[in-house]
């Protein structure tokens, strides 16, 4: 048996950025070549300086690359990996954003993919106890954050789903319907409709399609970019918990995670187009309120760096109507002017939110009204587009979703803009 490494090298393309050390707490050290090099940039909020760092910013950067909750428990049991370092060792090959973690002495390999089919993926998912990661070979080093079961795939021009091998970059995220929560039904149809509605309402949103054989929402990754030679570049991307130095089990504002004012502050600090991105932020908040998405926390916001465009907010992702499901939280992830209950929010809360974000109340009210005006057409078109792919029970979900959004938007917009 190979001795277990006590260090993982962190690569950006073919350049060594630094190393993570198996200590408690986890430590990170930038490579001296990185600190002196032309590509020099900090990993999220980890200051660019020599020597080992074991700060909350280090924990937050690496911990936020990993799955959460039951999915993390599943991996911990399957791979016998209970510490943060062990989990990174097991799965942090292809992660969100640009960095790849490999055992010392190894370098990221040239990309390789193995063709599969939607039917083969569906057959794995049909096993009740399986996690979506089981569509990959045992030991696959793929890591996506978040609490929902999901995995990554590569889909190129021919539309065939492919399994990335080793640390090869993926292009899509497969999110099948949530199975572990009894009262949550057809979440993939829900997410596909809501994501598409967001795009139709003119929010920059990750592209999705609903895949009927796997009953999954398939999301195109915006942190992967096809180069002219056909290979994939990984773009630098950080979620706002990574930037705030917050670990994922404190992602909600009520647990001490970033609130809206902190998100706005991070956008002002990092974005090359803060005015545009702040407008998108508030429109995203109103969209989430109207669509009944109570799970819009700071980890569902990221920034990225697109070559030639500088740092901006990424397109939005992870949008669905959570309020359709009894048992999920009735509270909005962020306080709006101190209020978390959507049914209690009104113009006074909006005015306070404006002060907290350093914006004009009239501007917020205009954005709330404009987003409300777009909702009926956007949701209706999104639901109609997906309907032919849906089973009769998923279609029932879609009809309820549309009714919910129409009535919530009408009531809430009237109160917010009174
Ligand atoms: N289209 C995308 N392109 C690139 N990265 C993405 C994309 N969608 C999601 N991600 C990354 O993957 C992570 C997990 O995705 P997502 O938020 O959809 O999962 P989730 O399990 O539903 O999350 P949650 O725990 O918030 O419910 C995100 O936090 C983000 O870092
Ligand atoms: Mg999420």
């Amino acid at each position: 048996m190979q001795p277990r490494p006590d260090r993982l090298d962190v690569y950006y393309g073919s350049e060594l950025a630094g190393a993570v050390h198996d200590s408690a707490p986890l430590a990170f050290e930038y490579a001296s070549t990185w600190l002196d090099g032309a590509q020099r940039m900090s990993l999220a909020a980890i200051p660019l300086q020599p020597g080992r760092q074991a700060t909350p910013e280090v924990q937050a950067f690496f911990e936020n690359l990993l799955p959460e909750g039951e999915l993390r428990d599943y991996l911990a049991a399957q791979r016998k990996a209970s510490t943060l370092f062990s989990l990174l060792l097991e799965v942090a090959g292809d992660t969100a954003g640009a960095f790849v973690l490999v055992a010392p002495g190894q370098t990221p390999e040239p990309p390789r993919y193995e063709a599969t089919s939607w039917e083969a993926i569906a057959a794995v998912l049909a096993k009740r106890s399986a996690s979506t990661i089981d569509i990959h070979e045992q030991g696959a080093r793929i890591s996506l954050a978040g609490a929902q079961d999901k995995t990554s795939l590569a889909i190129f021009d021919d539309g065939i789903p492919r399994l990335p091998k080793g640390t090869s970059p993926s292009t899509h995220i497969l999110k099948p319907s949530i199975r572990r929560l009894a009262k949550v039904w057809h979440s993939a149809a829900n997410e596909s409709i809501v994501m598409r509605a967001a795009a139709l309402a003119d929010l920059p949103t990750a592209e999705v399609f609903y895949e009927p054989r796997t009953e999954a929402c398939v999301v195109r990754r915006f942190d992967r970019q096809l180069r002219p030679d056909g290979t994939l570049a990984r773009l630098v991307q950080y979620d706002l918990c990574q930037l705030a130095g917050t670990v994922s089990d404190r992602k909600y504002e009520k647990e001490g995670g970033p609130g809206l004012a902190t998100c706005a502050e991070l956008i002002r600090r990092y974005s090359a187009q803060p005015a545009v991105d702040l407008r998108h932020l508030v429109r995203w908040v109103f969209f989430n309120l109207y669509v009944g998405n109570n799970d819009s926390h700071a980890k569902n916001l990221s920034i990225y760096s697109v070559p030639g465009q500088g740092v901006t907010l990424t397109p939005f992702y992870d949008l669905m109507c959570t309020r359709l499901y009894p048992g999920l939280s009735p509270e909005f992830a962020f306080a709006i002017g101190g209020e978390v209950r959507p049914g209690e929010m009104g113009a006074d809360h909006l005015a306070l939110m404006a002060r907290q974000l350093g914006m004009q109340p009239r501007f917020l009210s205009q954005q709330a009204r404009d987003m409300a005006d777009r909702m009926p057409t956007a949701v209706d078109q999104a639901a109609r587009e997906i309907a032919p792919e849906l089973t009769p029970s998923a279609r029932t979900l879609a009809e309820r979703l549309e009714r919910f959004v129409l009535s919530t938007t009408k009531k809430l917009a009237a109160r917010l803009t009174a």
Side-chain angles (χ1 to χ4, degrees):
M1 210 159 82
Q2 294 259 349
R4 182 176 178 279
D6 59 2
R7 183 189 100 207
L8 281 165
D9 287 340
V10 181
Y11 274 88
Y12 173 67
S14 57
E15 258 202 83
L16 182 66
V20 201
H21 297 274
D22 184 7
S23 57
L26 192 80
F28 174 73
E29 182 169 4
Y30 285 109
S32 56
T33 46
W34 182 262
L35 289 173
D36 298 338
Q39 303 258 38
R40 171 193 155 96
M41 67 176 140
S42 64
L43 271 66
I46 308 175
L48 274 170
Q49 61 191 43
R52 282 196 193 189
Q53 308 185 50
T55 55
E57 285 73 20
V58 170
Q59 315 307 307
F61 175 76
F62 290 101
E63 192 275 342
N64 275 298
L65 298 176
L66 293 169
E68 295 160 39
E70 280 189 15
L71 206 54
R72 187 178 295 185
D73 297 343
Y74 180 83
L75 280 173
Q78 189 197 46
R79 312 277 177 102
K80 300 199 172 48
S82 52
T83 68
L84 181 49
F85 182 85
S86 307
L87 281 162
L88 292 170
L89 177 65
E90 290 295 328
V91 298
D94 189 41
T95 65
F99 297 95
V100 174
L101 276 61
V102 295
Q106 292 181 9
T107 49
E109 314 145 42
R112 284 179 296 129
Y113 300 93
E114 181 188 302
T116 178
S117 65
W118 297 112
E119 288 77 7
I121 296 173
V124 176
L125 297 181
K127 295 183 197 139
R128 294 288 324 158
S129 64
S131 157
T132 309
I133 192 140
D134 297 330
I135 68 169
H136 299 277
E137 67 197 352
Q138 275 240 323
R141 293 192 72 242
I142 281 172
S143 179
L144 286 165
Q148 268 198 62
D149 192 20
K150 69 177 85 55
T151 195
S152 47
L153 282 177
I155 307 173
F156 300 105
D157 282 352
D158 60 11
I160 295 171
R162 289 184 155 77
L163 303 175
K165 300 300 209 182
T167 55
S168 307
S170 55
T171 62
H172 287 72
I173 301 173
L174 178 83
K175 294 180 86 174
S177 277
I178 295 171
R179 295 178 294 175
R180 288 165 211 261
L181 301 170
K183 291 178 184 160
V184 176
W185 52 302
H186 293 301
S187 66
N190 181 335
E191 186 162 347
S192 304
I193 294 170
V194 173
M195 289 285 289
R196 180 72 185 126
L200 291 166
D202 226 16
L203 277 181
T205 309
E207 260 174 57
V208 296
F209 67 90
Y210 181 77
E211 204 298 303
R213 284 150 290 191
T214 49
E215 297 195 10
C217 175
V218 184
V219 190
R220 200 161 86 81
R221 294 186 70 147
F222 41 68
D223 59 344
R224 302 288 177 258
Q225 203 178 50
L226 206 57
R227 297 191 188 96
D229 69 358
T231 60
L232 285 170
R234 290 179 160 103
L235 306 186
V236 174
Q237 167 179 312
Y238 304 123
D239 71 53
L240 295 199
C241 282
Q242 287 179 309
L243 292 176
T246 311
V247 287
S248 67
D249 62 6
R250 288 192 182 272
K251 66 188 177 188
Y252 293 104
E253 182 180 4
K254 71 182 217 186
E255 307 166 310
L260 268 184
T262 305
C263 293
E265 203 181 293
L266 290 168
I267 291 170
R268 286 194 176 97
R269 186 180 325 155
Y270 288 100
S271 173
Q273 47 168 37
V276 173
D277 284 346
L278 287 170
R279 181 171 166 273
H280 286 148
L281 173 77
V282 299
R283 291 171 73 80
W284 171 80
V285 169
F286 295 127
F287 178 85
N288 283 318
L289 284 171
Y290 296 151
V291 89
N293 180 20
N294 278 352
D295 206 30
S296 52
H297 46 73
K299 211 172 148 51
N300 283 334
L301 291 168
S302 293
I303 58 160
Y304 69 164
S305 174
V306 180
Q309 285 173 36
V311 173
T312 64
L313 212 50
T314 65
F316 295 113
Y317 52 91
D318 199 12
L319 305 169
M320 76 153 114
C321 174
T322 62
R323 289 180 64 194
L324 271 188
Y325 304 126
L328 299 189
S329 174
E331 294 181 355
F332 197 59
F334 291 120
I336 300 298
E339 180 57 71
V340 289
R341 293 162 301 175
E344 300 298 321
M345 292 171 188
D348 290 347
H349 300 108
L350 211 62
L352 182 51
M353 170 180 163
R355 275 212 296 285
Q356 290 165 340
L357 299 188
M359 294 177 183
Q360 293 295 329
R362 224 173 88 84
F363 170 72
L364 281 196
S365 171
Q366 277 166 352
Q367 299 304 323
R369 170 51 52 208
D370 183 74
M371 194 40 90
D373 291 345
R374 290 169 189 270
M375 295 304 289
T377 317
V379 173
D380 182 59
Q381 188 177 329
R384 268 190 291 125
E385 282 177 10
I386 194 181
E389 308 286 1
L390 300 181
T391 58
S393 79
R395 231 173 268 176
T396 305
L397 182 285
E399 284 157 16
R400 282 195 206 169
L401 168 61
E402 194 171 345
R403 278 203 301 276
F404 176 91
V405 176
L406 292 185
S407 83
T408 307
T409 303
K410 204 165 159 193
K411 282 187 274 187
L412 199 52
R415 286 203 315 270
L416 291 174
T417 61

